[in-house]
Structure formats: C-alpha cells, structure tokens
C-alpha cells in the first residue's frame, strides 16, 4: 500500500501500485486508423492488471516462506503467480461464476478495502477480470491452479 501524507497526497507508492505502474510502462499499446484519425489503446486494461495483482496480494498463502508473488510480462501475455493453492471449496469454475467469497487473509482483505483496492468481495474475477478482458480484446484469461501456486494469465490482443 502507498504511504500517504496527512494532507492525503501519496508520498511513496506501495508494492501494488509499483507493480501495476511497471506493467503499464512496459506492456505496449496497439494502434489503428479510424477514419483519418489514429486510435491507440493499451494491450491490456489497467484495471484488470490492478485487480490481478490485488487478488494475488490478498489471497496468496503467506505461510509459504521464501516465496513471492511473481508478475511477469511476455510478448503475448502477462502472468501473475500467487504462491499457494486455492482454499478448500474454491474452484476456478466457482470463481468464474462469481459465487465464491472465501478469503485466506481477512485482516489483509479489510486493509485493502480501507485503502480502496477492493470494492466488492468475490466478484472481481468474473466481472472485473474475465468480462473486462473480453470487452477489451476478445480474449479470456487463463485461471490455473498448479502444484503450489495460482496463475492468472492475461492474453494480449492476437
């Protein structure tokens, strides 16, 4: 989280903002002609990148020492890898449906909400990540539970 002065201005950006800023600076954009005007957009929607990073911070398994959240930008995709498997009762299918509201870190979830990183519990994957990616470039993100981690893979426009 960011360090804020008494007047409410950001003094130092926190890890979430720094990760999102890194991706925004490096992800690139696409351009096209619309009539006689050139239009341009980021290859990934910034709000989706932000939500993927916030979810990784909120839901990672902090008992797994020596592991970090990984944010990796490739030519065709962004991967956000969060240490730890999904909680019992949570499946990728339930996340896609928006019917799961289980958190691993209740105190952290509340802090993230107080700082404005979380608006609504349990709906981010379906509404903010999947639907936003479809609207932005017609792709659907990969949500993958691997051995000891959870991966969100956001595809750039093909």
């Amino acid at each position: 989280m960011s360090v804020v002065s008494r007047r409410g201005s950001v003094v130092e950006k926190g890890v979430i903002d720094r990760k999102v800023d890194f991706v925004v600076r490096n992800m690139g954009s696409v351009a096209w002609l619309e009539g006689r005007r050139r239009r341009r957009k980021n290859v990934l929607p910034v709000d989706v990148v932000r939500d993927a990073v916030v979810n990784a911070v909120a839901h990672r398994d902090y008992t797994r020492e020596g592991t970090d959240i990984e944010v990796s930008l490739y030519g065709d995709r962004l991967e956000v890898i969060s240490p730890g498997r999904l909680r019992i009762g949570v499946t990728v299918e339930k996340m896609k449906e928006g019917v799961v509201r289980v958190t691993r870190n209740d105190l952290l979830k509340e802090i993230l909400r107080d700082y404005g990183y979380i608006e609504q519990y349990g709906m981010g994957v379906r509404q903010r990540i999947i639907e936003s990616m479809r609207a932005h470039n017609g792709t659907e993100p990969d949500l993958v539970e691997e051995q000891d981690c959870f991966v969100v893979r956001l595809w750039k426009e093909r």
Side-chain angles (χ1 to χ4, degrees):
M1 273 145 286
S2 299
V3 177
V4 180
S5 72
R6 290 182 186 182
R7 293 184 180 156
S9 60
V10 175
V11 176
E12 181 181 334
K13 288 188 175 185
V15 67
I16 292 171
D17 295 322
R18 289 194 315 260
K19 291 295 181 199
V20 173
D21 288 350
F22 168 81
V23 172
V24 169
R25 276 193 318 271
N26 294 288
M27 72 172 140
S29 61
V30 292
W32 67 96
L33 289 176
E34 198 172 277
R36 294 184 178 176
R37 305 192 107 192
R38 178 172 299 280
R39 300 289 183 202
R40 182 175 298 277
K41 71 177 181 179
N42 291 327
V43 294
L44 297 168
V46 176
D47 62 328
V48 172
V49 172
R50 178 186 161 277
D51 274 14
V53 173
V54 168
N55 284 348
V57 170
H59 298 295
R60 71 155 287 174
D61 184 352
Y62 285 94
T63 64
R64 295 181 39 85
E65 294 182 23
T67 60
D68 293 315
I69 294 167
E70 296 177 36
V71 178
S72 301
L73 191 58
Y74 300 96
D76 62 344
R77 70 192 183 281
L78 171 75
E79 289 186 358
V80 179
I81 303 173
S82 181
R85 296 183 58 80
L86 294 174
R87 298 277 313 256
I88 294 174
V90 178
T91 65
V92 170
E93 292 74 27
K94 287 181 180 179
M95 292 169 65
K96 287 180 176 182
E97 293 170 11
V99 297
V100 64
R101 286 176 167 68
V102 176
T103 184
R104 188 184 311 260
N105 307 296
D106 286 325
L107 178 60
L108 183 55
K109 175 189 72 173
E110 294 301 320
I111 292 169
L112 290 168
R113 182 186 51 90
D114 290 348
Y115 276 84
Y117 289 101
I118 296 175
E119 296 84 23
Q120 186 178 8
Y121 303 130
M123 300 302 286
V125 170
R126 182 172 60 104
Q127 290 180 346
R128 300 277 307 234
I129 294 179
I130 295 173
E131 291 177 13
S132 290
M133 286 301 294
R134 285 180 186 154
H136 184 78
N137 66 12
T139 65
E140 184 158 328
D142 294 341
L143 308 172
V144 182
E145 184 176 27
E146 294 183 348
Q147 283 183 327
D148 292 325
C149 64
F150 184 75
V151 181
V152 175
R153 194 171 292 122
L154 305 175
W155 295 98
K156 294 179 180 180
E157 214 163 325
R158 297 192 173 123

